[in-house]
Amino acid sequence: MNKKHVKLMISTAMAASMVLSMGAAVRAEEADYSILEGKTISFMTSQAKFFDAYQTMADAIEADYGCKVDFQVVPDDQYTSMTNLKLSTGEVPDVFEQNYPSQNATLNVYEYCEDLSNEAWVSRLVNPDMLKDQKDGKMYALPKESSSGYQVVYYNKALLESCGITDPEPQTYDEFLDILKAVKENSDAAPFLQTNKDNWETQIFMTGGIPITLGDKAAETYEKLLNNEITWSDIPEAEDVLQKYIDLYTEGYVNEDNLSVGYDDAAEIMANGKAAMYLTVDQWATDFGKNHPEVELGSFVIPYGEKPVLPTGNYVQGLFVPNAGSQIDVAKAFLEVWSMPKYQDMYYEANPGYPAFNDVNGGEATPCVQSIVDKYITTGDYVYEINGQLADANGCFNDLWNFYVEAAAGEKEAAAVWEDFQAIYEDYMEQQGFEAFE
Amino acid sequence: MNQKKFYPNYFTYPAIVLFFIFYCIPIIASFVMSFTNWNIKRINSPKFTGLKNFIRLFEDDYFMLALKNTVLFAVATTIGIVVLGLLLALLLNAAIKGKAFFRTVFYLPAVLSLIVVGIMFKAVFKLDGGILNQILNAIGLSGLTRDWLGNGTTAMWSIIFVQVWKWSGFAMAIYLAGLQGISTDYYEAARIDGATVWQRFRKITLPLLAPAFTVVITMNTIGGFKVFEQVYVMTNGGPGNATQVLNTYIYKEFSKGTLGRSSAASLLLFLLIAVIAVIVNKALTSREVEM
């Protein structure tokens, strides 16, 4: 082999590697999407998951590919039930959005949804490993973000300053209570906003607080629960966290109408200064910043343990394709198009954050969210919420969250919540066919 | 020539087939599945579990709470609708000005969608800025203002109130039809005999309205046991489980994926409604008198 041949081979190899590295994105752009022409994709999501930018993306896709998107936006408090119901009856939309992969077991995606592992967009993901299903390693949804679900207190800066509190960063739980006390004494606002009409909001305090309080014992505790070796009442940390939550009500820190207001009411309440702070997820803060730019939000995490640690979801928002759909190939082609930088950039231009794809521009995130990422995500000071760790039991957590609401209403004590939930948990796990419960 | 026309039986076959496919088969399937552990994870391999689902239901405090709430709802709404509907009918059967207008106004809620009514009354019952609390504040009854849907007791009665508001006009229409079918001769004869208004009402109106009572009570009792939309829209069974009724319980179980259990609960509800409807209907029909 002479020098000329070697040079030719190296050049060819270099060219090939360059082509391959650009391959995924180019493939997506160049592929034939004529299958979408004249079709309508039914896209089911919930109020909290739906963003106006979705419509912008859909309009652009319709202009480019002639494919319409019919958004079916379901109220939050009905969404998980509705999704399960649709999947189990086969009356499904073409695509639907859900927490991914934490809801995989609850939705039984193994039976009801398409395996998307071989789709072209998979090669462009920022963190594919977190998104693969823990049981079978398959990819069941097209993700929107690379991470999400930071459970943080977002506060009205001006309101807190009027109470003499500037840029609070409580290091202990008592310091957190001091902030609530100061707000209660110095303003008419409810110190701590709770929107218990949506019980998924009620659960956040416990869902994040319990794993942090469990600390190193968390993994072992989850395993024992799943193997039916301990009961929920055997976990003092769970009772402690719930008691702390109940105490917020008995101390008068929570808004009076907590049982009848929901997630959708929270932005208005916070913007009007009727409440000082709201424990929720980052999507809410991003949306709030967009709709109420005149109100500046700050953020901190509740220090449940010895130091502040961020509770976060090991999930993102994902688009699933039900296998009972009437046009699965069209839905898959639609997802490929939906994932393209051109359309994803439209979303992130309106809602800056942390995109799922490495070729999408996430923009500048909301400052109160970015500060949390800088302080906790990049330093590794975060813990995954309990729901994702007990994915097999997710289907009965709605009952637990209802018990939390009853506790908040003063109708149930902390110990009774765990005692009553244990019966439901055992029954549910037995019905699901887990050997340890049969 | 008086010749009776006969049609062949097979004209009914398409309807019978459709009825069998869309009505009988689901009921039979639901009956069978209620004796299995059929769930979202065992969609293709349900196992026979005998009476276990039914036993578990009766052991479940929240099923019993839903049952209690359903009975309360059915009884309270039926009483409310029967009484209010009758009062409206008596009032609008009299010779008053604008009665056609008022009849229409009172009947209107019956044609509104339950979902729309539920959403509308959520705004009425809101703690902050709700119409009811604003009215109470305006008339100096601020002490009575509260979060109507955020309290277990008031939430249930608020939903009952909405049901009575919605269906009283419909009951009124049935009573009006009954009242107009009573011959005025009876009243004239009674008046000549010196009967008081109350006596005429008790001895003529009430007995002759019995068929209307049968219809109103039977329909509202069944409707009350089947309640779902109002609860689902206004409270979704909450706060907590305070307004859970049988149908929201069944929906919750079904959406949890526990299909066998929810089928068992559906079967119990079906039996409950069937038994009560037969008893109510039989008891009331036996009191009807011929006009």
PDB file of all heavy atoms in Angstrom, chain A residues 278-290:
ATOM      1  N   TYR A 278     -44.672  29.324  47.317  1.00  0.00           N
ATOM      2  CA  TYR A 278     -45.383  28.163  46.759  1.00  0.00           C
ATOM      3  C   TYR A 278     -44.375  27.047  46.504  1.00  0.00           C
ATOM      4  O   TYR A 278     -43.385  27.260  45.793  1.00  0.00           O
ATOM      5  CB  TYR A 278     -46.050  28.600  45.450  1.00  0.00           C
ATOM      6  CG  TYR A 278     -46.960  27.582  44.797  1.00  0.00           C
ATOM      7  CD1 TYR A 278     -47.790  26.765  45.538  1.00  0.00           C
ATOM      8  CD2 TYR A 278     -47.012  27.485  43.406  1.00  0.00           C
ATOM      9  CE1 TYR A 278     -48.640  25.857  44.927  1.00  0.00           C
ATOM     10  CE2 TYR A 278     -47.864  26.577  42.782  1.00  0.00           C
ATOM     11  CZ  TYR A 278     -48.681  25.767  43.544  1.00  0.00           C
ATOM     12  OH  TYR A 278     -49.525  24.874  42.937  1.00  0.00           O
ATOM     13  N   LEU A 279     -44.631  25.909  47.103  1.00  0.00           N
ATOM     14  CA  LEU A 279     -43.764  24.750  46.873  1.00  0.00           C
ATOM     15  C   LEU A 279     -44.282  24.005  45.657  1.00  0.00           C
ATOM     16  O   LEU A 279     -45.378  23.440  45.689  1.00  0.00           O
ATOM     17  CB  LEU A 279     -43.795  23.826  48.100  1.00  0.00           C
ATOM     18  CG  LEU A 279     -43.102  22.475  47.951  1.00  0.00           C
ATOM     19  CD1 LEU A 279     -41.605  22.625  47.728  1.00  0.00           C
ATOM     20  CD2 LEU A 279     -43.360  21.594  49.173  1.00  0.00           C
ATOM     21  N   THR A 280     -43.490  24.015  44.604  1.00  0.00           N
ATOM     22  CA  THR A 280     -43.962  23.352  43.391  1.00  0.00           C
ATOM     23  C   THR A 280     -42.781  22.981  42.495  1.00  0.00           C
ATOM     24  O   THR A 280     -41.639  22.968  42.948  1.00  0.00           O
ATOM     25  CB  THR A 280     -44.999  24.246  42.659  1.00  0.00           C
ATOM     26  OG1 THR A 280     -45.618  23.500  41.627  1.00  0.00           O
ATOM     27  CG2 THR A 280     -44.369  25.498  42.064  1.00  0.00           C
ATOM     28  N   VAL A 281     -43.073  22.702  41.233  1.00  0.00           N
ATOM     29  CA  VAL A 281     -42.014  22.269  40.317  1.00  0.00           C
ATOM     30  C   VAL A 281     -41.612  23.416  39.385  1.00  0.00           C
ATOM     31  O   VAL A 281     -42.336  24.397  39.244  1.00  0.00           O
ATOM     32  CB  VAL A 281     -42.469  21.045  39.482  1.00  0.00           C
ATOM     33  CG1 VAL A 281     -42.506  19.798  40.346  1.00  0.00           C
ATOM     34  CG2 VAL A 281     -43.829  21.294  38.857  1.00  0.00           C
ATOM     35  N   ASP A 282     -40.437  23.260  38.766  1.00  0.00           N
ATOM     36  CA  ASP A 282     -39.828  24.344  37.995  1.00  0.00           C
ATOM     37  C   ASP A 282     -40.669  24.829  36.810  1.00  0.00           C
ATOM     38  O   ASP A 282     -40.621  26.002  36.444  1.00  0.00           O
ATOM     39  CB  ASP A 282     -38.447  23.928  37.511  1.00  0.00           C
ATOM     40  CG  ASP A 282     -38.432  22.539  36.945  1.00  0.00           C
ATOM     41  OD1 ASP A 282     -38.632  21.596  37.717  1.00  0.00           O
ATOM     42  OD2 ASP A 282     -38.267  22.381  35.720  1.00  0.00           O
ATOM     43  N   GLN A 283     -41.468  23.927  36.219  1.00  0.00           N
ATOM     44  CA  GLN A 283     -42.284  24.340  35.069  1.00  0.00           C
ATOM     45  C   GLN A 283     -43.207  25.487  35.455  1.00  0.00           C
ATOM     46  O   GLN A 283     -43.481  26.376  34.663  1.00  0.00           O
ATOM     47  CB  GLN A 283     -43.142  23.174  34.545  1.00  0.00           C
ATOM     48  CG  GLN A 283     -42.342  22.078  33.888  1.00  0.00           C
ATOM     49  CD  GLN A 283     -41.993  20.977  34.861  1.00  0.00           C
ATOM     50  OE1 GLN A 283     -41.812  21.203  36.056  1.00  0.00           O
ATOM     51  NE2 GLN A 283     -41.860  19.770  34.346  1.00  0.00           N
ATOM     52  N   TRP A 284     -43.686  25.445  36.696  1.00  0.00           N
ATOM     53  CA  TRP A 284     -44.597  26.494  37.156  1.00  0.00           C
ATOM     54  C   TRP A 284     -43.879  27.840  37.177  1.00  0.00           C
ATOM     55  O   TRP A 284     -44.421  28.858  36.736  1.00  0.00           O
ATOM     56  CB  TRP A 284     -45.136  26.156  38.554  1.00  0.00           C
ATOM     57  CG  TRP A 284     -46.062  27.206  39.075  1.00  0.00           C
ATOM     58  CD1 TRP A 284     -47.396  27.305  38.840  1.00  0.00           C
ATOM     59  CD2 TRP A 284     -45.722  28.332  39.891  1.00  0.00           C
ATOM     60  NE1 TRP A 284     -47.903  28.427  39.459  1.00  0.00           N
ATOM     61  CE2 TRP A 284     -46.897  29.074  40.104  1.00  0.00           C
ATOM     62  CE3 TRP A 284     -44.524  28.791  40.455  1.00  0.00           C
ATOM     63  CZ2 TRP A 284     -46.923  30.239  40.865  1.00  0.00           C
ATOM     64  CZ3 TRP A 284     -44.548  29.958  41.206  1.00  0.00           C
ATOM     65  CH2 TRP A 284     -45.731  30.675  41.411  1.00  0.00           C
ATOM     66  N   ALA A 285     -42.634  27.846  37.692  1.00  0.00           N
ATOM     67  CA  ALA A 285     -41.887  29.109  37.798  1.00  0.00           C
ATOM     68  C   ALA A 285     -41.602  29.682  36.415  1.00  0.00           C
ATOM     69  O   ALA A 285     -41.680  30.896  36.202  1.00  0.00           O
ATOM     70  CB  ALA A 285     -40.595  28.872  38.559  1.00  0.00           C
ATOM     71  N   THR A 286     -41.280  28.813  35.468  1.00  0.00           N
ATOM     72  CA  THR A 286     -41.005  29.271  34.101  1.00  0.00           C
ATOM     73  C   THR A 286     -42.248  29.922  33.509  1.00  0.00           C
ATOM     74  O   THR A 286     -42.183  31.004  32.930  1.00  0.00           O
ATOM     75  CB  THR A 286     -40.576  28.066  33.220  1.00  0.00           C
ATOM     76  OG1 THR A 286     -39.460  27.446  33.855  1.00  0.00           O
ATOM     77  CG2 THR A 286     -40.197  28.497  31.829  1.00  0.00           C
ATOM     78  N   ASP A 287     -43.363  29.270  33.707  1.00  0.00           N
ATOM     79  CA  ASP A 287     -44.628  29.781  33.181  1.00  0.00           C
ATOM     80  C   ASP A 287     -45.020  31.088  33.878  1.00  0.00           C
ATOM     81  O   ASP A 287     -45.497  32.026  33.242  1.00  0.00           O
ATOM     82  CB  ASP A 287     -45.715  28.715  33.433  1.00  0.00           C
ATOM     83  CG  ASP A 287     -46.673  28.624  32.271  1.00  0.00           C
ATOM     84  OD1 ASP A 287     -46.255  28.963  31.145  1.00  0.00           O
ATOM     85  OD2 ASP A 287     -47.828  28.232  32.490  1.00  0.00           O
ATOM     86  N   PHE A 288     -44.792  31.126  35.161  1.00  0.00           N
ATOM     87  CA  PHE A 288     -45.132  32.324  35.946  1.00  0.00           C
ATOM     88  C   PHE A 288     -44.313  33.516  35.438  1.00  0.00           C
ATOM     89  O   PHE A 288     -44.842  34.615  35.248  1.00  0.00           O
ATOM     90  CB  PHE A 288     -44.836  32.075  37.427  1.00  0.00           C
ATOM     91  CG  PHE A 288     -45.216  33.221  38.325  1.00  0.00           C
ATOM     92  CD1 PHE A 288     -46.471  33.272  38.912  1.00  0.00           C
ATOM     93  CD2 PHE A 288     -44.323  34.259  38.582  1.00  0.00           C
ATOM     94  CE1 PHE A 288     -46.830  34.332  39.731  1.00  0.00           C
ATOM     95  CE2 PHE A 288     -44.682  35.326  39.396  1.00  0.00           C
ATOM     96  CZ  PHE A 288     -45.932  35.357  39.975  1.00  0.00           C
ATOM     97  N   GLY A 289     -43.020  33.307  35.245  1.00  0.00           N
ATOM     98  CA  GLY A 289     -42.140  34.381  34.787  1.00  0.00           C
ATOM     99  C   GLY A 289     -42.606  34.970  33.466  1.00  0.00           C
ATOM    100  O   GLY A 289     -42.482  36.164  33.208  1.00  0.00           O
ATOM    101  N   LYS A 290     -43.162  34.102  32.641  1.00  0.00           N
ATOM    102  CA  LYS A 290     -43.622  34.539  31.315  1.00  0.00           C
ATOM    103  C   LYS A 290     -44.922  35.346  31.426  1.00  0.00           C
ATOM    104  O   LYS A 290     -45.085  36.366  30.780  1.00  0.00           O
ATOM    105  CB  LYS A 290     -43.882  33.279  30.475  1.00  0.00           C
ATOM    106  CG  LYS A 290     -43.703  33.463  29.002  1.00  0.00           C
ATOM    107  CD  LYS A 290     -43.731  32.130  28.308  1.00  0.00           C
ATOM    108  CE  LYS A 290     -44.963  31.336  28.704  1.00  0.00           C
ATOM    109  NZ  LYS A 290     -45.011  29.989  28.223  1.00  0.00           N
TER     110      LYS A 290
END
